[in-house]
Amino acid sequence: MLKRDVLRKPKTLYLLTNNDGKLREFRELGASHSLKIAKAGLEKLEIQSSSLEEIATYAALTGYLSLRKPLLAEDAGLFIQSLNGFPGPYSSYVFKTLGNEGILRIMDGMNLRRACFRSAISLVLDIQTIKVFTGEICGSISNKVRGKSGFGFDPIFIPEGYTRTFAEMSVKEKNKISHRAKAFNSMMEWLENNSF
Ligand code: IMP
């Protein structure tokens, strides 16, 4: 077998993020697989693209080239059906500028409140091994801001089958169903089956 075909499952993965809420969720997810998630301590470079996968992969590759250690980057977004998928890949900017109250104002009077969170995790183990994993959870946009935990749009997102928003759940509970957990679990499955 060629040396590059032999993959070792990392004990630590570096996460490229400035978002402490995200870091907390990834750490909790990693812990249940005996995988340590460490903060990469680098700026996440975000290109403008309509594809979460492209944004995550560009960020992960540039991060890897600086750090040269197994690293992952995630790009996630909230896609609201009646707004044709807005804010989607622009979620970070829209959260900073409009926030939860701004989204609720735009949706005032709208009966169709379906929305989905999507996550794309790009994993770089070495320069030849780059993989992207995705996850999605759908639900609805609440009528008011509810809950104190989590981050971003958590206080206005109610997952399907629940009455509480993500911000009214613990990290453990959110991690059982979230878009991020689904992408992360696919990544873990791939690592288990493709490394030793
Ligand atoms: P990014 O992946 O760090 O670029 O995140 C995009 C934005 O989407 C964040 O700033 C949040 O506002 C929002 N977002 C992504 N994932 C979540 C989540 O799990 N809960 C709440 N908001 C999220």
Side-chain angles (χ1 to χ4, degrees), residues 17 19 22 25 44 46 55 74-78 88-93 95-96 117-118 150-155 166 174 178-180:
T17 188
N19 178 333
K22 229 184 223 197
E25 289 180 20
K44 181 185 168 202
E46 282 207 21
I55 300 169
E74 187 216 35
D75 203 62
L78 177 67
Y90 311 106
S91 291
S92 171
Y93 180 72
F95 182 74
K96 277 186 217 136
F117 266 126
R118 292 190 194 132
F151 66 95
F153 297 115
D154 279 346
F166 265 167
K174 181 179 172 189
S178 80
H179 50 310
R180 182 161 301 112

Coordinates of all heavy atoms in Angstrom, one line a residue, residues 17 19 22 25 44 46 55 74-78 88-93 95-96 117-118 150-155 166 174 178-180, ligand 1:
T17 N -12.6 28.3 13.9 CA -13.8 29.1 14.2 C -13.6 30.2 15.2 O -12.6 30.2 16.0 CB -15.0 28.2 14.8 OG1 -16.2 29.0 14.9 CG2 -14.6 27.7 16.2
N19 N -16.4 31.3 16.7 CA -17.7 31.2 17.4 C -17.6 30.2 18.5 O -17.5 29.0 18.3 CB -18.7 30.8 16.3 CG -20.1 30.6 16.8 OD1 -20.3 30.3 18.0 ND2 -21.1 30.8 15.9
K22 N -20.3 27.5 18.6 CA -20.0 26.4 17.7 C -18.9 25.4 18.3 O -19.0 24.2 18.3 CB -19.4 27.0 16.4 CG -20.0 26.4 15.2 CD -19.3 27.0 14.0 CE -20.3 27.4 13.0 NZ -19.7 27.7 11.6
E25 N -20.3 23.1 20.9 CA -21.0 22.0 20.3 C -20.1 21.0 19.7 O -20.2 19.8 19.9 CB -22.0 22.5 19.2 CG -23.2 23.3 19.8 CD -24.2 23.8 18.8 OE1 -24.2 23.3 17.7 OE2 -24.9 24.7 19.2
K44 N -10.8 32.6 10.3 CA -11.4 31.8 9.3 C -11.7 32.7 8.1 O -12.4 33.6 8.1 CB -12.8 31.3 9.8 CG -13.6 30.4 8.9 CD -14.9 30.0 9.4 CE -15.8 29.4 8.4 NZ -17.3 29.5 8.7
E46 N -13.4 33.6 4.8 CA -14.7 33.2 4.2 C -14.8 33.8 2.8 O -14.9 35.1 2.6 CB -15.9 33.7 5.0 CG -16.1 32.8 6.2 CD -17.5 32.8 6.7 OE1 -18.4 33.2 6.0 OE2 -17.7 32.5 7.9
I55 N -17.4 27.3 0.7 CA -17.0 28.2 1.7 C -16.2 27.5 2.8 O -15.1 27.9 3.1 CB -18.1 29.0 2.3 CG1 -18.9 29.8 1.3 CG2 -17.6 29.9 3.5 CD1 -20.2 30.4 1.8
E74 N -16.3 24.6 9.4 CA -17.7 24.4 9.1 C -18.3 25.7 8.5 O -17.9 26.8 9.0 CB -18.4 24.0 10.3 CG -19.9 23.6 10.0 CD -20.9 24.0 11.1 OE1 -20.7 25.1 11.7 OE2 -21.8 23.3 11.3
D75 N -19.1 25.5 7.5 CA -20.0 26.7 7.2 C -21.4 26.2 7.3 O -21.8 25.1 6.9 CB -19.7 27.2 5.8 CG -20.1 28.6 5.7 OD1 -19.6 29.5 6.4 OD2 -21.1 28.9 4.9
A76 N -22.2 27.1 8.0 CA -23.6 26.7 8.2 C -24.5 27.8 7.9 O -24.1 29.0 7.9 CB -23.8 26.2 9.7
G77 N -25.8 27.6 7.7 CA -26.7 28.6 7.5 C -28.1 28.2 7.7 O -28.5 27.0 7.7
L78 N -29.0 29.2 7.8 CA -30.4 29.0 8.0 C -31.1 29.4 6.6 O -30.9 30.5 6.1 CB -30.9 30.0 9.1 CG -32.4 29.9 9.4 CD1 -32.8 28.6 10.0 CD2 -32.8 31.1 10.3
G88 N -29.4 31.8 4.1 CA -28.6 30.8 3.6 C -27.1 31.0 3.8 O -26.7 31.2 5.0
P89 N -26.3 31.1 2.8 CA -24.8 31.2 3.0 C -24.4 32.6 3.5 O -23.3 32.8 3.8 CB -24.2 31.0 1.6 CG -25.3 30.8 0.6 CD -26.6 30.9 1.4
Y90 N -25.4 33.5 3.6 CA -25.1 34.9 4.1 C -25.5 35.0 5.5 O -25.7 36.1 6.0 CB -25.8 35.9 3.2 CG -25.5 35.7 1.7 CD1 -26.4 35.1 0.9 CD2 -24.2 35.9 1.2 CE1 -26.1 34.8 -0.5 CE2 -23.9 35.6 -0.1 CZ -24.8 35.0 -0.9 OH -24.5 34.7 -2.2
S91 N -25.8 33.9 6.2 CA -26.4 33.9 7.5 C -25.6 34.7 8.5 O -26.1 35.4 9.4 CB -26.6 32.5 8.0 OG -27.6 31.8 7.3
S92 N -24.3 34.6 8.4 CA -23.4 35.2 9.4 C -23.6 36.8 9.3 O -23.8 37.4 10.3 CB -22.0 34.8 9.2 OG -21.1 35.5 9.9
Y93 N -23.5 37.3 8.1 CA -23.7 38.7 7.9 C -25.1 39.2 8.3 O -25.3 40.2 8.9 CB -23.4 39.0 6.4 CG -23.6 40.5 6.0 CD1 -22.6 41.4 6.5 CD2 -24.6 41.0 5.3 CE1 -22.7 42.7 6.2 CE2 -24.8 42.3 5.0 CZ -23.8 43.2 5.5 OH -23.9 44.5 5.2
F95 N -27.1 37.8 10.4 CA -27.3 37.7 11.8 C -26.6 39.0 12.5 O -27.2 39.6 13.4 CB -26.6 36.5 12.5 CG -26.9 36.4 13.9 CD1 -28.1 36.1 14.4 CD2 -25.9 36.7 14.8 CE1 -28.4 36.1 15.8 CE2 -26.1 36.7 16.2 CZ -27.4 36.4 16.7
K96 N -25.5 39.4 12.0 CA -24.8 40.6 12.5 C -25.6 41.8 12.2 O -25.7 42.8 13.0 CB -23.4 40.7 11.9 CG -22.4 39.9 12.6 CD -21.0 40.2 12.1 CE -20.2 38.9 12.0 NZ -19.4 38.8 10.7
F117 N -31.8 24.4 8.8 CA -30.4 24.7 9.1 C -29.6 23.7 8.3 O -29.9 22.5 8.3 CB -30.1 24.5 10.6 CG -30.2 25.7 11.4 CD1 -31.0 25.7 12.6 CD2 -29.4 26.8 11.1 CE1 -31.0 26.8 13.4 CE2 -29.5 28.0 11.9 CZ -30.3 27.9 13.0
R118 N -28.6 24.1 7.6 CA -27.7 23.2 6.9 C -26.2 23.4 7.4 O -25.9 24.6 7.7 CB -27.7 23.4 5.4 CG -29.1 23.0 4.9 CD -29.1 23.0 3.3 NE -30.5 22.9 2.9 CZ -31.0 23.6 2.0 NH1 -30.3 24.5 1.3 NH2 -32.3 23.5 1.7
G150 N -27.3 28.4 23.4 CA -26.9 28.3 22.0 C -26.4 29.6 21.5 O -25.9 30.4 22.2
F151 N -26.6 29.9 20.2 CA -26.0 31.1 19.6 C -26.8 31.4 18.3 O -27.7 30.6 17.9 CB -24.5 30.9 19.2 CG -24.3 29.8 18.2 CD1 -24.1 30.2 16.8 CD2 -24.2 28.5 18.5 CE1 -23.9 29.2 15.9 CE2 -24.0 27.5 17.5 CZ -23.8 27.9 16.2
G152 N -26.5 32.5 17.7 CA -27.1 32.8 16.4 C -28.6 32.8 16.3 O -29.3 33.3 17.2
F153 N -29.1 32.0 15.4 CA -30.6 32.0 15.2 C -31.3 30.9 16.1 O -32.5 30.6 15.9 CB -30.9 31.7 13.7 CG -30.4 32.8 12.7 CD1 -29.4 32.5 11.8 CD2 -31.0 34.0 12.8 CE1 -29.0 33.5 11.0 CE2 -30.6 35.1 12.0 CZ -29.6 34.8 11.0
D154 N -30.6 30.3 17.0 CA -31.2 29.3 17.9 C -32.5 29.8 18.5 O -33.4 29.0 18.6 CB -30.2 28.9 19.0 CG -29.2 27.8 18.4 OD1 -29.4 27.3 17.4 OD2 -28.2 27.6 19.1
P155 N -32.6 31.0 19.0 CA -33.8 31.4 19.7 C -35.0 31.6 18.8 O -36.1 31.8 19.3 CB -33.4 32.8 20.3 CG -32.0 32.9 20.3 CD -31.5 32.1 19.1
F166 N -34.2 25.8 19.6 CA -32.9 25.3 19.9 C -32.3 26.0 21.2 O -31.6 25.4 21.9 CB -31.9 25.6 18.7 CG -31.8 24.4 17.8 CD1 -31.2 24.6 16.5 CD2 -32.2 23.1 18.1 CE1 -31.0 23.5 15.7 CE2 -32.0 22.0 17.3 CZ -31.4 22.3 16.0
K174 N -29.5 19.5 21.7 CA -29.4 20.0 20.3 C -28.5 19.1 19.5 O -28.7 18.8 18.4 CB -28.8 21.5 20.4 CG -28.6 22.1 19.0 CD -28.1 23.5 19.0 CE -27.8 24.0 17.6 NZ -27.0 25.3 17.6
S178 N -29.1 18.1 15.6 CA -28.8 19.3 14.8 C -28.1 18.9 13.4 O -27.6 17.8 13.2 CB -27.9 20.2 15.6 OG -26.5 19.8 15.5
H179 N -28.2 19.9 12.5 CA -27.5 19.8 11.2 C -26.0 19.5 11.4 O -25.4 18.7 10.8 CB -27.7 21.2 10.5 CG -27.4 22.4 11.3 ND1 -27.9 22.5 12.6 CD2 -26.6 23.5 11.1 CE1 -27.5 23.7 13.1 NE2 -26.7 24.3 12.2
R180 N -25.4 20.2 12.4 CA -24.0 20.1 12.7 C -23.7 18.7 13.2 O -22.7 18.1 12.8 CB -23.6 21.1 13.8 CG -22.2 21.2 14.2 CD -21.9 22.5 14.9 NE -22.2 23.6 14.0 CZ -23.2 24.5 14.2 NH1 -24.0 24.4 15.3 NH2 -23.5 25.4 13.4
Ligands
IMP1 P1 -20.8 30.3 10.0 O1 -20.9 28.9 9.6 O2 -19.9 30.5 11.2 O3 -20.5 31.3 8.9 O4 -22.2 30.7 10.6 C1 -23.2 31.3 9.9 C2 -24.3 31.9 10.8 O5 -25.4 31.0 10.7 C3 -23.9 32.1 12.2 O6 -23.4 33.3 12.5 C4 -25.3 31.9 12.9 O7 -25.9 33.1 12.9 C5 -26.0 31.0 11.9 N1 -26.0 29.6 12.4 C6 -25.2 28.6 11.9 N2 -25.4 27.4 12.6 C7 -26.3 27.8 13.6 C8 -26.8 27.1 14.7 O8 -26.6 25.9 14.9 N3 -27.7 27.8 15.4 C9 -28.0 29.1 15.2 N4 -27.5 29.8 14.3 C10 -26.6 29.2 13.4

